[in-house]
Amino acid sequence: MARRRVFRTLAAAVAALLLVTGGATAAFADGLALDGDGISPVTNGQAASIDVCTGQAAQFNVLIAARRNGNGNGNGNSDSNIFANGSSVAVWFDSATDGMTATVTPGTITVQSTWASQATNFQSTSTALAVVTLPAQTASGAGTVTFKFDGHNASNGDVGGTNTVNVTWTAHNCDTTAPT
């Protein structure tokens, strides 16, 4: 009987889930781990919650790592959905709601030389940092920021996808009047 791996939904976003059918089994693709609090190590918190001053733009960090999430093909070699050992994964800002923008530096994450043999949910020690800008808001709200990634497998085939971080903000009236 084929063994199934089940992953729980991560705060309204699944990290680059790619279903590949082959016989009676399903394979899961490697992807990204996003931590909305921007703190190392990446905890896959998937959400950023920030306080902003009404009418003022705000910035926050999202820490990004590669996450091992593939199934091997059963013969000890990496499968088409697993990043190649020691390879680089390009990461970039794709889209966002509510006028948010982001800059990712560096634009690549390097996975370990033993990547294909790592356990599910193993994360790269190499990370990228996304600085997200939320434009001035007049009220509290929520939105999303989506990142794309692209790497290659041991056969030099593409392994890529998207991952989204949920963002909530609470707007406050901030007193900017100098004391007299």
Side-chain angles (χ1 to χ4, degrees):
M1 175 180 256
R3 182 178 173 173
R4 281 187 176 217
R5 292 186 183 174
V6 179
F7 300 95
R8 61 185 161 118
T9 302
L10 301 172
V14 176
L17 180 61
L18 173 65
L19 289 175
V20 178
T21 57
T25 63
F28 297 94
D30 284 359
L32 299 179
L34 303 176
D35 189 3
D37 68 7
I39 299 172
S40 183
V42 179
T43 60
N44 240 346
Q46 286 289 331
S49 181
I50 61 172
D51 288 321
V52 298
C53 292
T54 302
Q56 295 179 19
Q59 290 187 325
F60 60 94
N61 296 332
V62 175
L63 194 60
I64 304 170
R67 183 171 62 93
R68 175 73 172 77
N69 193 33
N71 292 330
N73 60 11
N75 64 7
N77 296 322
S78 60
D79 179 342
S80 63
N81 59 0
I82 299 172
F83 298 132
N85 289 338
S87 65
S88 294
V89 179
V91 181
W92 64 95
F93 167 72
D94 179 50
S95 62
T97 59
D98 298 285
M100 287 183 279
T101 59
T103 303
V104 179
T105 54
T108 59
I109 296 170
T110 302
V111 300
Q112 285 83 337
S113 61
T114 57
W115 187 258
S117 65
Q118 298 301 324
T120 297
N121 291 324
F122 181 82
Q123 293 176 2
S124 62
T125 53
S126 171
T127 58
L129 180 67
V131 178
V132 179
T133 301
L134 174 68
Q137 301 292 316
T138 59
S140 298
T144 59
V145 180
T146 301
F147 299 93
K148 279 192 172 184
F149 65 93
D150 187 43
H152 65 274
N153 61 24
S155 301
N156 213 27
D158 286 337
V159 178
T162 61
N163 199 337
T164 300
V165 63
N166 296 309
V167 181
T168 58
W169 59 89
T170 305
H172 302 280
N173 287 324
C174 299
D175 183 7
T176 57
T177 307
T180 56

